[in-house]
Amino acid sequence: MPKIVILGCGVLGLTTAIVLRKNGFDDITIVGEHHPGDELTHEFTSPWAGASIVTFAFENKLLQDIDRISFQEFKREADEVPEAGLMYCPGIHYSEVDDQAAESWGHKFYLNTSEIPKDKLPQGVKFGYKFMSCEFTMSAPKYLSWLVSNVQKLGITFERGTFDSVSQLSEKYSADTVINCSGLGSQYLTDVQDKTISAIRGQTVLINAPHIKTQMYREGPDVYTYIIPRPDGNCIVGGTLDYDNKSPEPNPDISKDILKRVYELNPELTHGKGPDAFNIVQHNVGFRPGRKDGVRLEKETLGVGNKRITVVHNYGHGAHGYLSSWGSAVKVLELLRGGIQVKAKL
Ligand SMILES: Cc1cc2nc3c(=O)[nH]c(=O)nc-3n(C[C@H](O)[C@H](O)[C@H](O)COP(=O)(O)OP(=O)(O)OC[C@H]3O[C@@H](n4cnc5c(N)ncnc54)[C@H](O)[C@@H]3O)c2cc1C
Ligand SMILES: *[C@@H]1O[C@H](CO)[C@@H](O)[C@H](O)[C@H]1NC(C)=O
Ligand SMILES: *[C@@H]1O[C@H](CO)[C@@H](O)[C@H](O)[C@H]1NC(C)=O
């Protein structure tokens, strides 16, 4: 059995640890500089997420596979594992872009989709559909602590540590296999640096609107507007996808623009009282681990001293790290098994 070290304690590192452990790998350590429950920092993305279960895998076959595996798992949790905090939530998707691939993938992916008749669409919208999806009932930090409790129950060693290189990591743990779930973090690793990783800023507003029970998305050519209700009566509304702005401070003009857009999307948010009547709980800024070519799921062998170390990469999930988590973990398992498709236990 290989001795495995997973670098990164975000949603990808934690789910990967769980899936590997449940599928026969029994010597696993997961290590990261930042842990769930720590004070928030912009180097650690997972606690900032929405997090909704929407797919962006319109044309990417690998990502479609990954998202489908994850969705099956979230559905199973919604049906059978109340502690996981998943529930069904109806949704509406509008698109201002006539994107056939997005439309047909959406119909295939979600449950119970139905076309919204063209004459019922808001102005500027090319197509829209209703769907049923799953939704987290807990905030992202709470879901992460649920994952941590599973990691601990499964006997996976969970540690804190900061590493500059894979060689340092494999030496410290005498590991022969390193799984790289470092998100944005190890742009700084010295041995192999991925220069195509960049932080994509996302600003959101948490508002109180307990009467809202439907998630809504409106996709534009360069803006993406969304409303994600939570059972606690709050909604996360957003958003932005900003490649240039690196400021960790919420920008009031951006918040104003978000609130204007979400009000247009659903005026019921303030009972029709206008975009200045929001009950604001909090303003947030997070940075997503964007990667030019999308998710990196690859295996390679590195020479460290006179040892060969297997490195499996699992990073660059951008705006969909929660949705893609379980499926990506299964792909890591397949890479470790020599690229063979497996029926994984989740
Ligand atoms: C505002 C916002 C909204 C979002 N909404 C959604 C959503 O609705 N749905 C969805 O699916 N996704 C959403 N996301 C995206 C999602 O949050 C990310 O894709 C996901 O959290 C990435 O997780 P990760 O595990 O790859 O990285 P991270 O959570 O950043 O974890 C990285 C880990 O690696 C560790 N690490 C890195 N480098 C080193 C090192 N050198 N040494 C030691 N440790 C290291 C860090 O300390 C940390 O433990 C959103 C993101 C943002 C910002
Ligand atoms: C989908 O629709 C069917 C038929 O109306 C219904 O029985 C089922 O419960 C729906 N699924 C979900 C998850 O709502
Ligand atoms: C691990 O992933 C990061 C992206 O976060 C990348 O920059 C780095 O090169 C990877 N490490 C190795 C050893 O490949």
Side-chain angles (χ1 to χ4, degrees):
M1 266 295 146
K3 203 167 160 50
I4 297 178
V5 175
I6 297 176
L7 179 65
C9 307
V11 67
L12 273 307
L14 295 167
T15 40
T16 301
I18 292 169
V19 169
L20 295 184
R21 181 68 189 85
K22 286 190 173 176
N23 289 274
F25 293 91
D26 53 13
D27 192 346
I28 304 176
T29 301
I30 171 166
V31 56
E33 180 173 355
H34 306 289
H35 282 187
D38 289 0
E39 208 178 307
L40 294 180
T41 150
H42 286 102
E43 288 170 21
F44 180 27
T45 308
S46 293
W48 298 93
S52 70
I53 297 176
V54 292
T55 177
F56 297 95
F58 312 132
E59 281 171 289
N60 179 332
K61 177 72 183 60
L62 173 67
L63 203 53
Q64 292 188 348
D65 245 31
I66 288 173
D67 287 2
R68 206 182 265 120
I69 295 170
S70 290
F71 194 67
Q72 287 307 317
E73 172 58 13
F74 288 129
K75 213 155 77 61
R76 187 188 71 86
E77 289 174 2
D79 290 331
E80 298 168 20
V81 193
E83 322 79 82
L86 270 292
M87 64 170 192
Y88 290 102
C89 180
I92 294 178
H93 180 101
Y94 291 131
S95 179
E96 295 167 20
V97 194
D98 201 358
D99 183 342
Q100 304 263 314
E103 185 174 12
S104 74
W105 172 240
H107 280 280
K108 261 190 253 166
F109 182 79
Y110 299 109
L111 305 169
N112 291 7
T113 41
S114 66
E115 193 74 47
I116 298 173
K118 299 278 181 228
D119 61 344
K120 294 258 164 39
L121 293 173
Q123 213 181 0
V125 170
K126 294 279 195 327
F127 69 86
Y129 54 84
K130 293 186 176 177
F131 62 93
M132 184 59 93
S133 179
C134 298
E135 164 71 307
F136 290 94
T137 64
M138 304 189 275
S139 64
K142 284 198 182 134
Y143 179 73
L144 291 171
S145 49
W146 178 73
L147 290 177
V148 169
S149 70
N150 279 320
V151 158
Q152 286 166 337
K153 265 188 238 153
L154 287 165
I156 295 161
T157 312
F158 188 49
E159 289 194 6
R160 195 182 293 275
T162 307
F163 294 88
D164 296 332
S165 66
V166 168
S167 42
Q168 215 186 40
L169 190 62
S170 63
E171 261 157 43
K172 160 133 198 222
Y173 294 101
S174 356
D176 46 43
T177 303
V178 171
I179 319 283
N180 186 7
C181 301
S182 56
L184 272 177
S186 42
Q187 299 173 77
Y188 318 111
L189 286 192
T190 50
D191 8 24
V192 204
Q193 284 191 345
D194 187 338
K195 300 269 190 257
T196 67
I197 276 263
S198 63
I200 311 171
R201 187 178 184 278
Q203 188 165 325
T204 57
V205 188
L206 187 68
I207 58 162
N208 188 260
H211 55 294
I212 299 297
K213 303 287 180 206
T214 301
Q215 47 182 331
M216 290 181 80
Y217 302 87
R218 178 166 174 152
E219 192 187 335
D222 41 39
V223 282
Y224 193 74
T225 304
Y226 55 84
I227 300 165
I228 312 171
R230 281 277 155 65
D232 67 0
N234 292 335
C235 293
I236 296 252
V237 301
T240 62
L241 264 176
D242 201 332
Y243 290 82
D244 302 320
N245 186 347
K246 300 293 179 217
S247 165
E249 297 305 320
N251 174 320
D253 293 334
I254 295 178
S255 295
K256 212 169 162 200
D257 175 62
I258 290 173
L259 294 176
K260 185 173 147 281
R261 280 189 277 134
V262 296
Y263 181 76
E264 272 166 29
L265 185 54
N266 189 0
E268 272 310 302
L269 282 166
T270 66
H271 301 284
K273 290 188 186 141
D276 294 322
F278 279 99
N279 203 339
I280 294 173
V281 180
Q282 202 177 309
H283 295 274
N284 298 313
V285 174
F287 292 90
R288 311 171 179 97
R291 184 165 178 270
K292 196 170 138 281
D293 295 323
V295 177
R296 183 168 184 209
L297 272 160
E298 260 166 36
K299 182 161 93 167
E300 64 179 331
T301 309
L302 290 181
V304 172
N306 52 9
K307 268 177 77 180
R308 312 290 293 163
I309 305 291
T310 301
V311 181
V312 180
H313 300 283
N314 183 13
Y315 67 83
H317 295 73
H320 51 88
Y322 278 79
L323 168 62
S324 302
S325 59
W326 294 109
S328 299
V330 170
K331 293 293 157 191
V332 170
L333 175 68
E334 290 179 356
L335 288 168
L336 285 178
R337 294 261 175 88
I340 302 157
Q341 278 217 342
V342 292
K343 178 101 189 70
K345 254 184 83 186
L346 293 176

